[in-house]
Amino acid sequence: MSKVTEIFASNVFDDRVMKSRLSAKVYNSLKNTIDLGTRLDPSVADAVAEAMKEWAVEKGATHYTHWFQPLTGITAEKHDSFISPSPDGRVIMDFSGKELIKGEPDASSFPSGGLRATFEARGYTAWDPTSYAFIKGKTLCIPTAFCSYGGEALDKKTPLLRSMQALNKQALRILKLFGNDTVKHVSTSVGPEQEYFLIPQELYDKRKDLIYTGRTLFGSKPPKGQEMDDHYFGVIKPRVEAYMTDLNEELWKLGILAKTQHNEVAPAQHELAPIYATTNIATDHNQLTMEIMQKVAKKHGLVCLLHEKPFAGVNGSGKHNNWSISTDTGVNLLTPGETPYENAQFLLFLCAVIKAVDDYQDLLRISVATAGNDHRLGANEAPPAVISIFLGEELEGILKAIETDTPYEGIEKKVMKLGVSVLPRFTRDTTDRNRTSPFAFTGNKFEFRMLGSSNSIACANIMLNAAVAESLKIYADRLEGAENFEEALHQMIKKTITDHRRIIFNGNGYDDAWIKEATEVRGLLNYRTTPDAIPHLMDEKNVKMLTEHKVFSEEELRSRTEITLENYCKAVVIEANTMEQLARREILPAIEEYAAFVAKTANAKKSLATDLACTYETETVKKLSQLASDAYKSLDKLAAALVKVQGAKDVIEEGYLIRDELLGVMDELRASCDEAETITAAKFWPFPTYDELLFGVR
Ligand code: ADP
Ligand code: MG
């Protein structure tokens, strides 16, 4: 492997390349757009396009693509070559500013949730200069936003950028109130920790459920799962290590700061965490990471599973979204400061997050709602579907002292009247690492832990940024008009703590008693499934907040409600169809074959000696027959449920029908088949079993 410092970002048209290849004027203009979010000067586009093309062609690229993130959840690209005919019958490599700035993919096959009628196929991709262009294979990829003819966002990036803008605007107002005029821009950063499974390709190829749905729909528990806790942080097997080495190298070339890798809790499960980056870049990078994880796995004869629950009975995969707010002057606004004044500002931002998470629990829940993630949330391996915040003892103590006007025992025995000057210093709390909380303060950032491993992190961060922007706006409105800033600040922080203390919970989030307390005593929301959660996107307060901050238009929200539910329904219906096919055409025939073999053996034995008991054979055949009949009955029910689902009048009803009528029958069918697996000879079973899949990489 070549030197890491040399290969890092070697395929990225980054600041270094721009500086060396663009004129000072063009570079400065572009840099203003990138760093400060100023509007792009169209006259620089031609120069940038030319430089980009030259750089890309030197690196062997022949094509370019507008790379975007439609609402399918994965990235999309359509490649065009740089070639342009020249009069002498040959070609030149050509790329104009116009082609850089705008693309027109035929967008009719991307989900739009009614925003764009299919006859109006046009959609536009627009260059996002804030995320660097890069080369993948032989293609120059230009990160873009994707919108309809009418300007509505059809992707995840546009609202993400809008949410960052909204937060920037409100945060700057607050900073100004604290006398800070030097900060020009505030943005959020994210470090997403990505979990995944690796299994052998040849076993994957034999499992239609994995191929069609990304998860196993059948499979009895292996004799050994994760109960010994011997995989987490365990020694990495050579084959996995080779994979990780290759993966890191590919990611580094793209300027992705792959940093940490280790084995996770379940056998065959691993994690990769990058160093955090600005949210929109972190989002692009996470999409690329997922794509490259899968690509590199193929090269190693492996398959990388990114589904939230590839295997029942062992932990599924999530993604922790470590999030913070910082200024262009390099200050993390979620770091407790050195001086009381800084701490007052810190407390205000902290309160803004607390208020945001409480007021918009539903939006955060919605942002992670998918069919796959429904298997994890609340299943004692990931946070519950109820949102709460973990703050740790010290912060909790400080907030309590402020709320009750009592001395804070932790550091100084002083009543914390937040006349800023008397607020004591406090240190960041690093003692407790509560792993069960959906939303944990971890010293200088919040870790949102409900995301599923395959989720785009855009959705969660859009909601988080927007909700925090709303808290900050309310604060800024109050404080800007206040006669006595310090008094108003004190009252506001106090009020936030009183009003929102219900969302703070430092205990065990996996405990059933917590869910009871959260919902019955504290009145927190518990949207257990995707169909429960998604329709609330259109709740009046949510539409009001998101449209006021210009993160979404009402039409965009309606379309997203539709698309998210549609994605959920399609995913589960495909699972049901796959189960039906596997049960009818592979599992039942296998059971029959084995039962026939056993019966034949019994007959053969009896023909030797009529008084042989043949208990094993008789009991096995009986049990297998019973299970086959049960499975057959479940198949009938499954077919009936599918008919009902198809008859739904809209996608909301379809979601409810799936939740209430279909999922239970799928579990029932699986239970009979999985039990049959445990008493069928291994060589008769039609596809690789859990123990082979989970322990197959050696
Ligand atoms: P853990 O113990 O949960 O793995 P780490 O401290 O290793 O936590 O950090 C996990 C992720 O959080 C990494 O991607 C890291 O870059 C990111 N991170 C660290 N500091 C910040 C920050 N200020 N803002 C956003 N993400 C951060
Ligand atoms: Mg973490």
Short mmCIF file of all heavy atoms in Angstrom, two decimals, residues 383-437:
data_model
loop_
_atom_site.label_atom_id
_atom_site.label_comp_id
_atom_site.label_asym_id
_atom_site.label_seq_id
_atom_site.Cartn_x
_atom_site.Cartn_y
_atom_site.Cartn_z
N PRO A 383 -31.99 1.50 21.07
CA PRO A 383 -32.91 2.29 21.90
C PRO A 383 -34.36 1.96 21.61
O PRO A 383 -34.68 1.44 20.53
CB PRO A 383 -32.61 3.72 21.47
CG PRO A 383 -31.28 3.69 20.84
CD PRO A 383 -31.10 2.33 20.28
N PRO A 384 -35.24 2.25 22.57
CA PRO A 384 -36.67 2.04 22.32
C PRO A 384 -37.18 3.05 21.30
O PRO A 384 -36.45 3.97 20.92
CB PRO A 384 -37.29 2.29 23.69
CG PRO A 384 -36.33 3.19 24.40
CD PRO A 384 -34.97 2.83 23.88
N ALA A 385 -38.43 2.89 20.89
CA ALA A 385 -39.02 3.85 19.96
C ALA A 385 -39.37 5.16 20.66
O ALA A 385 -39.71 6.15 20.02
CB ALA A 385 -40.24 3.24 19.30
N VAL A 386 -39.29 5.16 21.99
CA VAL A 386 -39.55 6.38 22.76
C VAL A 386 -38.26 7.20 22.82
O VAL A 386 -37.21 6.68 23.16
CB VAL A 386 -39.95 6.02 24.21
CG1 VAL A 386 -40.16 7.28 25.04
CG2 VAL A 386 -41.19 5.15 24.22
N ILE A 387 -38.37 8.49 22.49
CA ILE A 387 -37.17 9.33 22.51
C ILE A 387 -36.97 9.95 23.88
O ILE A 387 -37.93 10.45 24.49
CB ILE A 387 -37.31 10.47 21.48
CG1 ILE A 387 -37.75 9.91 20.14
CG2 ILE A 387 -36.04 11.32 21.42
CD1 ILE A 387 -36.80 10.02 19.03
N SER A 388 -35.75 9.91 24.37
CA SER A 388 -35.39 10.64 25.58
C SER A 388 -33.94 11.07 25.46
O SER A 388 -33.22 10.60 24.59
CB SER A 388 -35.59 9.75 26.81
OG SER A 388 -34.72 8.65 26.75
N ILE A 389 -33.54 11.96 26.37
CA ILE A 389 -32.16 12.47 26.33
C ILE A 389 -31.39 12.04 27.57
O ILE A 389 -31.89 12.16 28.69
CB ILE A 389 -32.15 14.02 26.28
CG1 ILE A 389 -32.87 14.52 25.04
CG2 ILE A 389 -30.73 14.56 26.31
CD1 ILE A 389 -32.86 16.03 24.92
N PHE A 390 -30.20 11.57 27.36
CA PHE A 390 -29.29 11.28 28.46
C PHE A 390 -28.31 12.45 28.59
O PHE A 390 -27.67 12.83 27.62
CB PHE A 390 -28.52 9.98 28.17
CG PHE A 390 -27.37 9.74 29.11
CD1 PHE A 390 -27.59 9.12 30.34
CD2 PHE A 390 -26.08 10.11 28.78
CE1 PHE A 390 -26.55 8.89 31.21
CE2 PHE A 390 -25.02 9.88 29.65
CZ PHE A 390 -25.26 9.27 30.87
N LEU A 391 -28.22 13.01 29.82
CA LEU A 391 -27.32 14.16 29.99
C LEU A 391 -26.11 13.83 30.85
O LEU A 391 -25.09 14.51 30.77
CB LEU A 391 -28.07 15.32 30.64
CG LEU A 391 -29.01 16.13 29.78
CD1 LEU A 391 -29.58 17.28 30.59
CD2 LEU A 391 -28.31 16.67 28.53
N GLY A 392 -26.22 12.84 31.68
CA GLY A 392 -25.14 12.55 32.62
C GLY A 392 -25.35 13.33 33.89
O GLY A 392 -26.09 14.33 33.92
N GLU A 393 -24.67 12.85 34.94
CA GLU A 393 -24.95 13.37 36.28
C GLU A 393 -24.63 14.85 36.46
O GLU A 393 -25.40 15.59 37.05
CB GLU A 393 -24.14 12.58 37.29
CG GLU A 393 -25.00 11.65 38.11
CD GLU A 393 -24.14 10.75 38.96
OE1 GLU A 393 -23.29 11.29 39.69
OE2 GLU A 393 -24.29 9.52 38.85
N GLU A 394 -23.49 15.26 35.96
CA GLU A 394 -23.07 16.63 36.26
C GLU A 394 -24.00 17.66 35.63
O GLU A 394 -24.47 18.58 36.29
CB GLU A 394 -21.63 16.89 35.81
CG GLU A 394 -21.23 18.32 36.18
CD GLU A 394 -19.75 18.60 36.06
OE1 GLU A 394 -19.07 17.89 35.31
OE2 GLU A 394 -19.28 19.54 36.72
N LEU A 395 -24.29 17.46 34.36
CA LEU A 395 -25.18 18.42 33.69
C LEU A 395 -26.56 18.40 34.31
O LEU A 395 -27.18 19.43 34.51
CB LEU A 395 -25.29 18.08 32.21
CG LEU A 395 -24.30 18.76 31.29
CD1 LEU A 395 -24.66 18.46 29.85
CD2 LEU A 395 -24.31 20.27 31.52
N GLU A 396 -27.00 17.19 34.60
CA GLU A 396 -28.32 17.05 35.23
C GLU A 396 -28.33 17.85 36.54
O GLU A 396 -29.29 18.56 36.84
CB GLU A 396 -28.54 15.55 35.50
CG GLU A 396 -29.78 15.21 36.30
CD GLU A 396 -31.03 15.14 35.44
OE1 GLU A 396 -30.91 15.25 34.21
OE2 GLU A 396 -32.12 15.01 36.02
N GLY A 397 -27.25 17.73 37.32
CA GLY A 397 -27.14 18.46 38.59
C GLY A 397 -27.19 19.96 38.37
O GLY A 397 -27.87 20.69 39.10
N ILE A 398 -26.49 20.41 37.37
CA ILE A 398 -26.45 21.85 37.09
C ILE A 398 -27.84 22.36 36.69
O ILE A 398 -28.32 23.38 37.19
CB ILE A 398 -25.42 22.15 35.98
CG1 ILE A 398 -24.01 21.97 36.55
CG2 ILE A 398 -25.59 23.55 35.42
CD1 ILE A 398 -22.93 21.90 35.50
N LEU A 399 -28.48 21.59 35.82
CA LEU A 399 -29.81 22.02 35.38
C LEU A 399 -30.78 22.05 36.56
O LEU A 399 -31.60 22.96 36.68
CB LEU A 399 -30.34 21.10 34.27
CG LEU A 399 -29.56 21.13 32.95
CD1 LEU A 399 -30.29 20.34 31.88
CD2 LEU A 399 -29.33 22.56 32.45
N LYS A 400 -30.67 21.05 37.42
CA LYS A 400 -31.57 21.01 38.58
C LYS A 400 -31.34 22.23 39.46
O LYS A 400 -32.28 22.84 39.96
CB LYS A 400 -31.35 19.70 39.36
CG LYS A 400 -32.47 19.41 40.33
CD LYS A 400 -32.41 17.98 40.86
CE LYS A 400 -33.30 17.03 40.07
NZ LYS A 400 -32.92 15.65 40.22
N ALA A 401 -30.07 22.56 39.67
CA ALA A 401 -29.75 23.71 40.51
C ALA A 401 -30.34 25.00 39.93
O ALA A 401 -30.88 25.84 40.65
CB ALA A 401 -28.24 23.83 40.66
N ILE A 402 -30.24 25.13 38.63
CA ILE A 402 -30.79 26.34 37.99
C ILE A 402 -32.30 26.36 38.13
O ILE A 402 -32.91 27.37 38.49
CB ILE A 402 -30.41 26.39 36.50
CG1 ILE A 402 -28.89 26.51 36.34
CG2 ILE A 402 -31.11 27.55 35.80
CD1 ILE A 402 -28.41 26.40 34.92
N GLU A 403 -32.89 25.21 37.89
CA GLU A 403 -34.36 25.14 37.90
C GLU A 403 -34.92 25.50 39.27
O GLU A 403 -35.93 26.18 39.38
CB GLU A 403 -34.82 23.73 37.49
CG GLU A 403 -36.32 23.62 37.35
CD GLU A 403 -36.80 22.19 37.13
OE1 GLU A 403 -35.98 21.25 37.27
OE2 GLU A 403 -37.98 22.02 36.83
N THR A 404 -34.25 25.01 40.32
CA THR A 404 -34.83 25.17 41.66
C THR A 404 -34.19 26.30 42.45
O THR A 404 -34.47 26.47 43.64
CB THR A 404 -34.67 23.86 42.45
OG1 THR A 404 -33.26 23.49 42.41
CG2 THR A 404 -35.48 22.74 41.85
N ASP A 405 -33.32 27.06 41.82
CA ASP A 405 -32.61 28.14 42.52
C ASP A 405 -31.93 27.64 43.78
O ASP A 405 -31.98 28.28 44.83
CB ASP A 405 -33.57 29.29 42.89
CG ASP A 405 -33.95 30.09 41.66
OD1 ASP A 405 -33.10 30.24 40.76
OD2 ASP A 405 -35.11 30.55 41.58
N THR A 406 -31.36 26.46 43.71
CA THR A 406 -30.67 25.91 44.88
C THR A 406 -29.18 25.80 44.56
O THR A 406 -28.80 25.80 43.40
CB THR A 406 -31.20 24.50 45.23
OG1 THR A 406 -31.18 23.71 44.05
CG2 THR A 406 -32.60 24.57 45.79
N PRO A 407 -28.37 25.66 45.60
CA PRO A 407 -26.93 25.59 45.34
C PRO A 407 -26.58 24.36 44.53
O PRO A 407 -27.17 23.30 44.72
CB PRO A 407 -26.32 25.49 46.74
CG PRO A 407 -27.39 25.88 47.68
CD PRO A 407 -28.69 25.60 47.03
N TYR A 408 -25.64 24.52 43.64
CA TYR A 408 -25.14 23.38 42.88
C TYR A 408 -24.02 22.76 43.69
O TYR A 408 -23.01 23.38 43.96
CB TYR A 408 -24.64 23.85 41.51
CG TYR A 408 -23.90 22.77 40.76
CD1 TYR A 408 -24.52 21.54 40.52
CD2 TYR A 408 -22.60 22.96 40.32
CE1 TYR A 408 -23.85 20.54 39.85
CE2 TYR A 408 -21.92 21.95 39.64
CZ TYR A 408 -22.55 20.75 39.42
OH TYR A 408 -21.89 19.76 38.77
N GLU A 409 -24.25 21.51 44.12
CA GLU A 409 -23.34 20.87 45.06
C GLU A 409 -22.04 20.46 44.39
O GLU A 409 -21.03 20.25 45.04
CB GLU A 409 -23.99 19.62 45.68
CG GLU A 409 -25.32 19.88 46.38
CD GLU A 409 -25.14 20.66 47.68
OE1 GLU A 409 -24.00 20.69 48.19
OE2 GLU A 409 -26.13 21.25 48.15
N GLY A 410 -22.09 20.28 43.08
CA GLY A 410 -20.96 19.68 42.39
C GLY A 410 -19.66 20.44 42.55
O GLY A 410 -18.63 19.86 42.86
N ILE A 411 -19.67 21.72 42.37
CA ILE A 411 -18.41 22.44 42.33
C ILE A 411 -18.34 23.51 43.42
O ILE A 411 -17.48 23.47 44.29
CB ILE A 411 -18.19 23.07 40.94
CG1 ILE A 411 -18.00 21.94 39.93
CG2 ILE A 411 -16.95 23.95 40.95
CD1 ILE A 411 -18.07 22.38 38.51
N GLU A 412 -19.25 24.44 43.38
CA GLU A 412 -19.23 25.47 44.41
C GLU A 412 -20.61 25.53 45.02
O GLU A 412 -21.60 25.35 44.33
CB GLU A 412 -18.92 26.84 43.78
CG GLU A 412 -17.54 26.95 43.21
CD GLU A 412 -17.42 28.21 42.35
OE1 GLU A 412 -17.48 29.31 42.93
OE2 GLU A 412 -17.31 28.08 41.13
N LYS A 413 -20.67 25.82 46.28
CA LYS A 413 -21.98 25.93 46.91
C LYS A 413 -22.53 27.34 46.65
O LYS A 413 -22.43 28.23 47.48
CB LYS A 413 -21.88 25.66 48.41
CG LYS A 413 -21.68 24.19 48.72
CD LYS A 413 -22.15 23.89 50.14
CE LYS A 413 -21.84 22.48 50.56
NZ LYS A 413 -22.55 21.42 49.97
N LYS A 414 -23.01 27.52 45.50
CA LYS A 414 -23.44 28.85 45.12
C LYS A 414 -24.77 28.72 44.40
O LYS A 414 -24.95 27.82 43.59
CB LYS A 414 -22.40 29.43 44.16
CG LYS A 414 -22.31 30.93 44.18
CD LYS A 414 -21.38 31.39 43.11
CE LYS A 414 -20.09 31.94 43.65
NZ LYS A 414 -19.19 32.37 42.57
N VAL A 415 -25.70 29.57 44.70
CA VAL A 415 -26.96 29.53 43.98
C VAL A 415 -26.69 30.02 42.56
O VAL A 415 -26.06 31.05 42.35
CB VAL A 415 -28.02 30.43 44.65
CG1 VAL A 415 -29.31 30.41 43.84
CG2 VAL A 415 -28.29 29.94 46.06
N MET A 416 -27.15 29.22 41.60
CA MET A 416 -26.79 29.56 40.23
C MET A 416 -27.80 30.50 39.61
O MET A 416 -28.50 30.13 38.68
CB MET A 416 -26.65 28.30 39.41
CG MET A 416 -25.51 27.46 39.93
SD MET A 416 -24.49 26.84 38.66
CE MET A 416 -25.67 26.07 37.64
N LYS A 417 -27.90 31.66 40.17
CA LYS A 417 -28.68 32.68 39.49
C LYS A 417 -27.89 32.97 38.24
O LYS A 417 -26.73 33.38 38.30
CB LYS A 417 -28.75 33.92 40.40
CG LYS A 417 -29.54 35.06 39.81
CD LYS A 417 -31.01 34.81 39.93
CE LYS A 417 -31.78 36.03 39.44
NZ LYS A 417 -33.18 35.70 39.18
N LEU A 418 -28.54 32.73 37.12
CA LEU A 418 -27.73 32.79 35.91
C LEU A 418 -27.44 34.21 35.46
O LEU A 418 -27.41 34.53 34.31
CB LEU A 418 -28.41 32.00 34.78
CG LEU A 418 -27.46 31.12 33.98
CD1 LEU A 418 -28.25 30.04 33.27
CD2 LEU A 418 -26.63 31.88 33.00
N GLY A 419 -27.36 35.12 36.47
CA GLY A 419 -26.68 36.35 36.15
C GLY A 419 -25.33 35.82 35.75
O GLY A 419 -24.58 35.36 36.60
N VAL A 420 -25.12 35.85 34.46
CA VAL A 420 -24.05 35.07 33.84
C VAL A 420 -22.77 35.05 34.67
O VAL A 420 -22.09 34.06 34.79
CB VAL A 420 -23.78 35.63 32.44
CG1 VAL A 420 -22.57 35.00 31.83
CG2 VAL A 420 -25.01 35.41 31.58
N SER A 421 -22.48 36.18 35.28
CA SER A 421 -21.20 36.30 35.95
C SER A 421 -21.03 35.36 37.14
O SER A 421 -19.91 35.12 37.56
CB SER A 421 -21.01 37.75 36.39
OG SER A 421 -22.20 38.17 37.03
N VAL A 422 -22.12 34.84 37.70
CA VAL A 422 -21.93 33.97 38.85
C VAL A 422 -22.03 32.49 38.50
O VAL A 422 -21.94 31.63 39.36
CB VAL A 422 -22.91 34.28 40.00
CG1 VAL A 422 -22.66 35.67 40.54
CG2 VAL A 422 -24.35 34.11 39.55
N LEU A 423 -22.26 32.21 37.26
CA LEU A 423 -22.35 30.80 36.86
C LEU A 423 -20.97 30.15 37.00
O LEU A 423 -19.99 30.67 36.49
CB LEU A 423 -22.81 30.72 35.40
CG LEU A 423 -23.02 29.32 34.84
CD1 LEU A 423 -24.19 28.65 35.53
CD2 LEU A 423 -23.29 29.40 33.36
N PRO A 424 -20.89 29.05 37.73
CA PRO A 424 -19.56 28.47 37.95
C PRO A 424 -19.02 27.76 36.72
O PRO A 424 -19.75 27.49 35.77
CB PRO A 424 -19.82 27.45 39.06
CG PRO A 424 -21.22 27.03 38.82
CD PRO A 424 -21.96 28.22 38.30
N ARG A 425 -17.77 27.44 36.80
CA ARG A 425 -17.17 26.59 35.77
C ARG A 425 -17.59 25.17 36.02
O ARG A 425 -17.79 24.75 37.13
CB ARG A 425 -15.65 26.65 35.88
CG ARG A 425 -15.07 27.92 35.36
CD ARG A 425 -13.58 27.89 35.54
NE ARG A 425 -13.00 26.69 34.93
CZ ARG A 425 -11.69 26.51 34.81
NH1 ARG A 425 -10.86 27.40 35.26
NH2 ARG A 425 -11.22 25.43 34.25
N PHE A 426 -17.74 24.42 34.98
CA PHE A 426 -17.93 22.99 35.20
C PHE A 426 -17.23 22.22 34.10
O PHE A 426 -16.96 22.74 33.03
CB PHE A 426 -19.40 22.62 35.31
CG PHE A 426 -20.27 23.15 34.21
CD1 PHE A 426 -20.49 22.42 33.06
CD2 PHE A 426 -20.86 24.41 34.33
CE1 PHE A 426 -21.30 22.92 32.05
CE2 PHE A 426 -21.66 24.91 33.32
CZ PHE A 426 -21.89 24.17 32.18
N THR A 427 -16.94 20.98 34.42
CA THR A 427 -16.18 20.18 33.46
C THR A 427 -17.13 19.32 32.66
O THR A 427 -18.26 19.10 33.07
CB THR A 427 -15.22 19.23 34.20
OG1 THR A 427 -15.98 18.54 35.17
CG2 THR A 427 -14.10 20.01 34.84
N ARG A 428 -16.68 18.84 31.53
CA ARG A 428 -17.57 17.95 30.78
C ARG A 428 -17.59 16.59 31.44
O ARG A 428 -16.59 16.11 31.96
CB ARG A 428 -17.16 17.86 29.31
CG ARG A 428 -15.79 17.31 29.07
CD ARG A 428 -15.48 17.44 27.62
NE ARG A 428 -15.42 16.12 27.00
CZ ARG A 428 -14.87 15.90 25.82
NH1 ARG A 428 -14.37 16.89 25.12
NH2 ARG A 428 -14.83 14.70 25.31
N ASP A 429 -18.77 16.03 31.45
CA ASP A 429 -18.96 14.77 32.15
C ASP A 429 -18.63 13.61 31.24
O ASP A 429 -19.27 13.42 30.21
CB ASP A 429 -20.42 14.70 32.60
CG ASP A 429 -20.70 13.44 33.37
OD1 ASP A 429 -19.76 12.71 33.70
OD2 ASP A 429 -21.88 13.18 33.63
N THR A 430 -17.63 12.87 31.59
CA THR A 430 -17.26 11.76 30.70
C THR A 430 -17.40 10.43 31.42
O THR A 430 -16.99 9.40 30.91
CB THR A 430 -15.80 11.90 30.24
OG1 THR A 430 -15.01 12.20 31.37
CG2 THR A 430 -15.65 13.00 29.21
N THR A 431 -17.95 10.48 32.63
CA THR A 431 -17.94 9.26 33.43
C THR A 431 -18.89 8.19 32.90
O THR A 431 -18.48 7.08 32.65
CB THR A 431 -18.33 9.58 34.89
OG1 THR A 431 -19.50 10.40 34.85
CG2 THR A 431 -17.21 10.31 35.58
N ASP A 432 -20.14 8.55 32.70
CA ASP A 432 -21.13 7.53 32.41
C ASP A 432 -21.32 7.38 30.91
O ASP A 432 -21.49 8.35 30.20
CB ASP A 432 -22.45 7.94 33.06
CG ASP A 432 -23.38 6.76 33.16
OD1 ASP A 432 -23.09 5.74 32.51
OD2 ASP A 432 -24.39 6.86 33.86
N ARG A 433 -21.27 6.17 30.44
CA ARG A 433 -21.51 5.96 29.01
C ARG A 433 -22.76 5.13 28.84
O ARG A 433 -22.69 3.95 28.54
CB ARG A 433 -20.30 5.29 28.37
CG ARG A 433 -19.06 6.18 28.42
CD ARG A 433 -17.87 5.50 27.83
NE ARG A 433 -18.07 5.15 26.44
CZ ARG A 433 -17.96 6.01 25.44
NH1 ARG A 433 -17.63 7.24 25.67
NH2 ARG A 433 -18.15 5.62 24.20
N ASN A 434 -23.88 5.78 29.03
CA ASN A 434 -25.15 5.09 28.91
C ASN A 434 -25.37 4.69 27.45
O ASN A 434 -25.41 5.54 26.57
CB ASN A 434 -26.26 6.03 29.39
CG ASN A 434 -27.62 5.38 29.32
OD1 ASN A 434 -27.94 4.71 28.35
ND2 ASN A 434 -28.41 5.57 30.34
N ARG A 435 -25.49 3.40 27.22
CA ARG A 435 -25.61 2.89 25.85
C ARG A 435 -27.05 2.67 25.42
O ARG A 435 -27.32 2.25 24.31
CB ARG A 435 -24.84 1.57 25.72
CG ARG A 435 -23.34 1.77 25.77
CD ARG A 435 -22.86 2.16 24.39
NE ARG A 435 -21.51 2.69 24.43
CZ ARG A 435 -20.99 3.44 23.47
NH1 ARG A 435 -21.70 3.75 22.42
NH2 ARG A 435 -19.77 3.88 23.55
N THR A 436 -27.97 2.86 26.36
CA THR A 436 -29.35 2.50 26.04
C THR A 436 -30.18 3.73 25.66
O THR A 436 -31.34 3.60 25.34
CB THR A 436 -30.03 1.83 27.25
OG1 THR A 436 -30.11 2.79 28.32
CG2 THR A 436 -29.25 0.61 27.71
N SER A 437 -29.57 4.89 25.73
CA SER A 437 -30.32 6.11 25.46
C SER A 437 -30.37 6.40 23.96
O SER A 437 -29.36 6.28 23.27
CB SER A 437 -29.68 7.28 26.19
OG SER A 437 -30.31 8.47 25.81
#
